[in-house]
């Protein structure tokens, strides 16, 4: 029963993210390109590239699901640089490949030469099994659950920020 509840909770979270993404996409202009790269490596005492070689592609796909693409070369380009994958601040991930922090910098470049914007995205997932009420059994999400939540949460934040940018690349003023 608890496994079913965990799956139901995860499915509900994913469904809410999908509905939010659909609402965001309906209200925003398209982008001509989405580029995602990583800048962490062994020199920075990080083994994230070994554990998650496809994370840049996964983030790119997640963003593309939320922000409409365009064939117009004059539309903005989104560039993402993933800079940190960590477990409680430690960039040397355990063999289990668990992580709960994903950090990066996003740049929205206009092809008009006007404006442009950059911002940080820092995602933190936490599960406090100590807060489980008496009489209940706490079940921590799997590594795959965390991975998907982190990637989708990062993409959702990028889409929300992109939705606040005007055609010149500046923040929309209300």
């Amino acid at each position: 029963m608890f496994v079913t509840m965990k799956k139901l909770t995860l499915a509900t979270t994913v469904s809410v993210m999908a509905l939010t993404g659909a609402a965001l996409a309906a209200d925003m202009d398209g982008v001509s390109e989405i580029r995602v790269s990583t800048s962490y490596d062994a020199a920075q005492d990080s083994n994230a590239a070994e554990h998650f070689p496809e994370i840049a592609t996964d983030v790119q796909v997640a963003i593309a699901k939320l922000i409409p693409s365009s064939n117009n070369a004059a539309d903005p380009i989104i560039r993402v640089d993933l800079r940190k994958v960590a477990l409680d601040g430690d960039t040397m991930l355990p063999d289990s490949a668990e992580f709960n922090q994903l950090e990066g910098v996003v740049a929205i470049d206009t092809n008009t030469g006007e404006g442009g914007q950059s911002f940080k995205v820092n995602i933190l997932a936490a599960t406090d099994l100590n807060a489980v009420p008496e009489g209940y059994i706490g079940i921590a999400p799997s590594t795959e659950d965390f991975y998907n939540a982190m990637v989708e949460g990062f993409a959702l934040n990028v889409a929300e920020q992109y939705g606040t940018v005007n055609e010149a690349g500046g923040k929309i003023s209300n």
Side-chain angles (χ1 to χ4, degrees):
M1 177 172 169
F2 292 110
V3 172
T4 303
M5 195 61 133
K6 176 181 155 189
K7 288 181 180 177
L8 179 61
T9 302
L10 181 62
T12 302
T13 302
V14 171
S15 296
V16 168
M17 289 179 109
L19 290 173
T20 303
L24 283 172
D27 293 336
M28 66 178 70
D29 295 327
V31 294
S32 61
E33 188 175 355
I34 300 170
R35 298 180 200 156
V36 180
S37 61
T38 60
S39 62
Y40 51 77
D41 57 22
Q44 296 174 317
D45 293 328
S46 176
N47 59 352
E50 296 168 24
H51 288 297
F52 305 107
E54 299 297 321
I55 195 167
T57 301
D58 293 341
V59 169
Q60 182 177 11
V61 168
I63 294 170
K65 287 179 182 177
L66 298 174
I67 300 176
S69 63
S70 164
N71 292 328
N72 184 350
D75 284 340
I77 295 171
I78 295 177
R79 290 183 298 111
V80 177
D81 180 25
L82 299 176
R83 295 186 174 177
K84 184 176 182 181
V85 177
L87 178 62
D88 298 327
D90 188 359
T91 57
M92 287 303 289
L93 303 178
D95 290 338
S96 62
E98 295 173 304
F99 74 100
N100 66 349
Q101 291 174 263
L102 182 59
E103 299 177 9
V105 174
V106 179
I108 300 172
D109 297 328
T110 63
N111 289 322
T112 62
E114 297 177 27
Q117 180 184 175
S118 67
F119 52 90
K120 288 183 178 183
V121 176
N122 297 327
I123 303 294
L124 175 70
T127 301
D128 183 6
L129 294 181
N130 295 324
V132 175
E134 188 175 335
Y136 288 83
I137 297 172
I139 300 173
S142 70
T143 302
E144 184 178 329
D145 294 338
F146 262 101
Y147 181 85
N148 291 334
M150 299 295 285
V151 166
E152 291 169 8
F154 192 97
L156 184 58
N157 189 278
V158 171
E160 287 171 348
Q161 293 279 353
Y162 180 73
T164 66
V165 175
N166 64 25
E167 290 178 7
K171 284 280 198 188
I172 294 173
S173 59
N174 292 333

